[in-house]
Amino acid sequence: MATSNAEEPRGEQLSSLDYLKSLEEDLDKSIESNKSAFSVFKVQIAEVKREWEEKRKEKESLEEKMSEREEISKPQITLDVGGKVFEISKESILKQSEFNLFRGIFRMDEMKLREDGSYFIDRNPRFFPKILEFFRTNDGRAFEVSPNQLKEMQEERYYYGIYSNKERSDMKHLDSEDVQCTVEIVLEYIDIEIMQFQLRVSQSNDPRRIIEEFEEALWEYRTLPDYFNEKQRNSINKMIDKASRVTHDVKNRSTIQASPEIIALQNKSLEFELSARKLLIKLLSDLRELNCWKKNWNKLEEKIKLLARNAETKIVFNVSGEKIATLKDNLSKQPDSYLGRLVRDENWKREVDGSYKINLNPENFHLIVDFLRHGKLNIPADYNQYQRERLLEDLDYLQIEVPPESLGTKLFGFKTQ
């Protein structure tokens, strides 16, 4: 028995030495693998940085050009919104985001003035006073409308490039390239979390609190946004599983500790990789912001070019004394209708100012033109039975065909044949 008792410590000592030896071997392998890993990091960082520099210089060049145009532009612009004329000052426009539609008009050569000195925008002017009020006051209460108008108001804000901070950061607006970049950044963040956790544990005598904090941080990554596809979700979940295994290993590791020298070498290796990853994630984040900026610029540029082309086909109506304007292409969408035939017939009589006179309800005509623009008949919820019947009569008079689902009991309170 004595011999047996005397041999137990010897066995523990041998296993301890074996364990320490295995730690040293693992460290040697880690250092060797880290050399190649760090060289990969170096190449990856250089590639991302090169792309980042190119995008940054492109942005600076565009911003300089746009600033020059803003400097020489007039102190205010005149806007013809669907036939109704408004004015807005340059000072008010420059208060808002750089990608609002009016700022694009100031900044780009494509948008040409009409003969009356205005820029034409083919939209319903119904909510435009609220848009202007927001630009003047920078107060979101300018957009307050009744609950049944919220969606229409939101659509108008989006068209003119006005977003709340929450909407601006909503990732659902990102395209597939942006989302993939976001996934890569999330993966890097989790890897950084793992390394920081390992460093903190190595420097602590009681890692229980550190483990709890790490597990809480991992839990946040498990709630993934809807716009990640299955493959992207799987890659993030695999990284989370890796982090969970690290936590498990720490909880169940032997009480035998490596020597301070080995721990110091391990920590140095982790710190080096941590610095490299932090630099990479900063470059990736900045690059994503630059890409988003360029995409927003491209979208605004396309919108301005489209406005410029469309302005050449503007058609103006005098509807019971109110000027309402839209594009020829909208009216041609239903070629057999009254309006479709009107734009085809060059002999159709015009007023002295070039407009076409129509004796209808202006509010109904706005709704009808909106339907031709967007394919949706947005009937105000406060329209009573009489107003809805008059709208049906105006649609019939103009021979505009509307899908049955837009004229059912839900909107009108009665079935149509």
Side-chain angles (χ1 to χ4, degrees), residues 1 23 45 65 86 121 130 134 151 156 205 237 267 318 395:
M1 291 290 292
L23 281 176
I45 287 170
K65 178 183 176 183
F86 302 87
I121 299 175
K130 291 184 174 294
F134 172 74
K151 187 175 181 182
E156 289 304 292
N205 294 324
N237 285 328
N267 288 351
N318 180 344
L395 284 165

Side-chain angles (χ1 to χ4, degrees), residues 313-328 331-332 338-360 365 369 397-398:
T313 63
K314 173 184 172 185
I315 302 290
V316 182
F317 295 95
N318 180 344
V319 186
S320 300
E322 181 177 333
K323 294 294 176 62
I324 298 176
T326 189
L327 305 177
K328 182 177 180 180
L331 306 176
S332 300
Y338 179 97
L339 299 177
R341 295 195 305 275
L342 178 146
V343 295
R344 285 202 314 271
D345 189 348
E346 295 181 359
N347 297 320
W348 206 289
K349 185 181 178 182
R350 296 191 185 215
E351 299 296 293
V352 176
D353 60 3
S355 64
Y356 295 99
K357 189 171 184 177
I358 292 184
N359 186 29
L360 291 176
F365 196 77
V369 170
Y397 173 77
L398 295 173

Side-chain angles (χ1 to χ4, degrees), residues 379-397:
I379 303 166
D382 58 359
Y383 254 38
N384 59 35
Q385 187 75 10
Y386 169 78
Q387 289 171 307
R388 294 175 182 184
E389 289 175 2
R390 296 287 76 75
L391 175 59
L392 280 176
E393 289 177 5
D394 289 347
L395 284 165
D396 185 60
Y397 173 77

Side-chain angles (χ1 to χ4, degrees), residues 91-322:
E91 181 185 5
S92 297
I93 290 172
L94 298 183
K95 288 179 186 176
Q96 304 306 324
S97 72
E98 58 186 331
F99 295 112
N100 70 71
L101 183 68
F102 311 129
R103 202 161 184 175
I105 291 173
F106 268 134
R107 289 176 159 188
M108 298 181 196
D109 296 323
E110 287 82 2
M111 199 68 177
K112 304 299 182 185
L113 285 168
R114 296 188 58 77
E115 292 179 2
D116 61 2
S118 68
Y119 296 100
F120 177 63
I121 299 175
D122 183 36
R123 303 289 289 188
N124 190 324
R126 181 184 183 194
F127 292 115
F128 198 74
K130 291 184 174 294
I131 300 289
L132 287 187
E133 183 66 15
F134 172 74
F135 273 88
R136 294 189 189 104
T137 64
N138 199 29
D139 190 333
R141 289 175 296 179
F143 297 128
E144 289 180 357
V145 291
S146 61
N148 52 57
Q149 295 175 328
L150 285 173
K151 187 175 181 182
E152 289 178 78
M153 185 72 256
Q154 184 186 61
E155 288 176 355
E156 289 304 292
R157 286 195 296 107
Y158 286 0
Y159 178 81
Y160 291 108
I162 305 169
Y163 300 91
S164 68
N165 290 334
K166 183 179 181 301
E167 290 166 338
R168 204 182 305 281
S169 62
D170 185 354
M171 301 299 289
K172 290 180 181 178
H173 293 298
L174 296 177
D175 61 22
S176 58
E177 184 182 339
D178 294 321
V179 172
Q180 183 56 39
C181 183
T182 303
V183 171
E184 291 169 9
I185 291 173
V186 170
L187 292 174
E188 287 293 336
Y189 268 125
I190 298 174
D191 232 355
I192 286 174
E193 293 270 16
I194 293 171
M195 285 184 282
Q196 288 176 330
F197 169 71
Q198 290 172 319
L199 276 172
R200 290 181 66 197
V201 165
S202 70
Q203 297 163 359
S204 172
N205 294 324
D206 185 7
R208 285 175 296 182
R209 182 58 189 161
I210 298 171
I211 292 171
E212 287 177 10
E213 291 174 355
F214 182 57
E215 288 177 333
E216 286 176 8
L218 286 183
W219 185 256
E220 293 181 8
Y221 287 107
R222 292 187 183 277
T223 307
L224 299 176
D226 295 337
Y227 50 79
F228 286 169
N229 61 37
E230 185 177 356
K231 184 178 179 182
Q232 292 164 337
R233 287 170 177 273
N234 288 340
S235 63
I236 292 174
N237 285 328
K238 283 180 182 177
M239 183 63 79
I240 294 172
D241 290 341
K242 173 187 171 182
S244 299
R245 288 194 298 273
V246 171
T247 311
H248 181 270
D249 291 343
V250 170
K251 286 180 177 178
N252 297 281
R253 72 181 180 183
S254 170
T255 56
I256 303 169
Q257 296 292 323
S259 68
E261 292 80 8
I262 292 176
I263 292 174
L265 282 172
Q266 287 175 325
N267 288 351
K268 187 175 181 181
S269 172
L270 278 171
E271 287 169 355
F272 191 93
E273 185 174 354
L274 195 56
S275 298
R277 286 187 180 277
K278 283 183 176 179
L279 174 58
L280 180 60
I281 202 171
K282 179 68 170 69
L283 286 170
L284 283 171
S285 298
D286 288 353
L287 182 59
R288 183 183 64 176
E289 291 300 317
L290 288 168
N291 284 335
C292 285
W293 186 93
K294 187 59 167 62
K295 285 167 188 171
N296 284 331
W297 166 261
N298 289 341
K299 287 176 185 175
L300 181 59
E301 189 175 38
E302 283 303 310
K303 187 179 284 187
I304 295 295
K305 287 179 178 178
L306 181 62
L307 283 173
R309 291 195 298 271
N310 287 345
E312 303 302 320
T313 63
K314 173 184 172 185
I315 302 290
V316 182
F317 295 95
N318 180 344
V319 186
S320 300
E322 181 177 333

